[in-house]
Amino acid sequence: MTSTATRPRGARARAAIAAKTLRTDRWWFAPLITVIGLSAWVAYATVRVFMHKWYWVDEFHYLTPFYSPCVTERCVEGSSHFGSFLPGWWIIPDAALTLPFLLLFRLTCYYYRKAYYRSFWLSPPACAVPDGHAEYSGETRFPLLGQNLHRYFFYAAAIISLINTWDAIIAFHSPEGFGFGLGNIILLVNVVALWAYTISCHSCRHIIGGRLKHFSKHPVRYRAWTFVSALNVRHMQLAWITLGTLALTDFYVMAIAADWFPDLRFIN
């Protein structure tokens, strides 16, 4: 037991322990994996967004989510479902209307905040491990003050999920009419995962069940809130799953568009 003589008079001092932490487990492993995983995904996505090719399969109407909706003058014929009205400069992503909002939605996500605060900023890297910064101001200063806009980015993410759903629907196409292949399965799985991640958001949970004094008077909203709450428990897993499905969907569409291998077709 620490002697009271080691405590400054009138102050609540910590125990007189010389070590930075008494943890003997691999507490650094989770932050390290997070840094590697997020860095790899951001690097892949950045390269793909600025490749400006291999994103549309005209034969089956496959469009990668990294280029949806394609709105620049550079977009290949057939890929612009909502028109091409932005300049075709290489610095402008072909999905310039949606990518910024998706990035902001993920950056301000409650789980992703925890992930990159602990891994990239070391604030703190793990429980019972010293913070990597001398001071802590929370999210009360710029740029972290912008984290409070997450609830508004949720609405944009919901609209973008609708666009991705439309992309998956019109992909049931073949030269003979209706068609179905492995690409359709991948697009559908990605859309379902994106919807699960989006509606499991804490903001969505509050929108559905917030400002109610009596759930008994709102049975429909209560059922919806219960469903969203169940998904909310898996929000972290869904955040990582959707990173995987997005990369897989993009890679598959790129491979088909580049003729690396043919699409596995089940119907037409």
Side-chain angles (χ1 to χ4, degrees), residues 2 6 13-23 128 130:
T2 303
T6 62
R14 294 182 177 180
I17 300 175
K20 291 184 177 181
T21 177
L22 297 181
R23 292 187 61 168

Side-chain angles (χ1 to χ4, degrees), residues 133-179:
H133 304 271
E135 297 180 355
Y136 174 73
S137 61
E139 296 174 344
T140 61
R141 299 179 182 177
F142 181 84
L144 296 185
L145 188 62
Q147 303 284 32
N148 296 316
L149 297 175
H150 178 66
R151 71 194 72 176
Y152 303 108
F153 297 137
F154 162 77
Y155 295 109
I159 295 174
I160 295 170
S161 293
L162 287 173
I163 295 175
N164 292 147
T165 303
W166 173 250
D167 293 337
I169 292 174
I170 65 174
F172 288 95
H173 175 276
S174 76
E176 291 77 28
F178 175 80

Side-chain angles (χ1 to χ4, degrees), residues 39-261:
S39 298
W41 193 90
V42 169
Y44 172 83
T46 302
V47 171
R48 281 293 293 136
V49 164
F50 291 103
M51 282 182 66
H52 302 303
K53 63 178 181 179
W54 298 338
Y55 55 86
W56 169 252
V57 180
D58 185 63
E59 186 178 10
F60 306 125
H61 290 186
Y62 291 164
L63 178 64
T64 171
F66 285 176
Y67 286 76
S68 176
C70 200
V71 294
T72 67
E73 297 174 349
R74 188 192 309 104
C75 298
V76 298
E77 184 178 356
S79 64
S80 300
H81 303 152
F82 299 93
S84 303
F85 45 83
L86 291 182
W89 304 333
W90 73 270
I91 196 63
I92 300 179
D94 293 296
L97 288 186
T98 56
L99 289 180
F101 292 102
L102 285 177
L103 177 61
L104 291 171
F105 177 63
R106 299 241 173 192
L107 279 176
T108 58
C109 167
Y110 289 114
Y111 165 68
Y112 281 115
R113 293 188 215 179
K114 168 189 171 182
Y116 62 76
Y117 285 174
R118 289 189 173 186
S119 57
F120 289 90
W121 291 355
L122 302 178
S123 182
C127 294
V129 178
D131 197 299
H133 304 271
E135 297 180 355
Y136 174 73
S137 61
E139 296 174 344
T140 61
R141 299 179 182 177
F142 181 84
L144 296 185
L145 188 62
Q147 303 284 32
N148 296 316
L149 297 175
H150 178 66
R151 71 194 72 176
Y152 303 108
F153 297 137
F154 162 77
Y155 295 109
I159 295 174
I160 295 170
S161 293
L162 287 173
I163 295 175
N164 292 147
T165 303
W166 173 250
D167 293 337
I169 292 174
I170 65 174
F172 288 95
H173 175 276
S174 76
E176 291 77 28
F178 175 80
F180 181 75
L182 179 58
N184 296 101
I185 296 177
I186 293 176
L187 286 169
L188 284 175
V189 169
N190 179 62
V191 165
V192 171
L194 288 177
W195 272 116
Y197 168 70
T198 302
I199 65 177
S200 69
C201 170
H202 297 75
S203 295
C204 179
R205 183 170 180 264
H206 177 73
I207 291 170
I208 293 177
R211 297 188 177 183
L212 294 181
K213 294 182 178 180
H214 304 285
F215 268 131
S216 60
K217 296 182 180 180
H218 304 273
V220 175
R221 289 184 65 178
Y222 175 70
R223 288 181 178 273
W225 179 83
T226 303
F227 175 73
V228 171
S229 297
L231 285 177
N232 181 258
V233 176
R234 306 295 181 186
H235 195 54
M236 179 186 73
Q237 291 88 335
L238 290 169
W240 283 100
I241 288 172
T242 50
L243 291 184
T245 59
L246 282 168
L248 174 62
T249 304
D250 176 78
F251 182 82
Y252 188 83
V253 173
M254 175 176 62
I256 301 301
D259 291 327
W260 294 346
F261 51 78

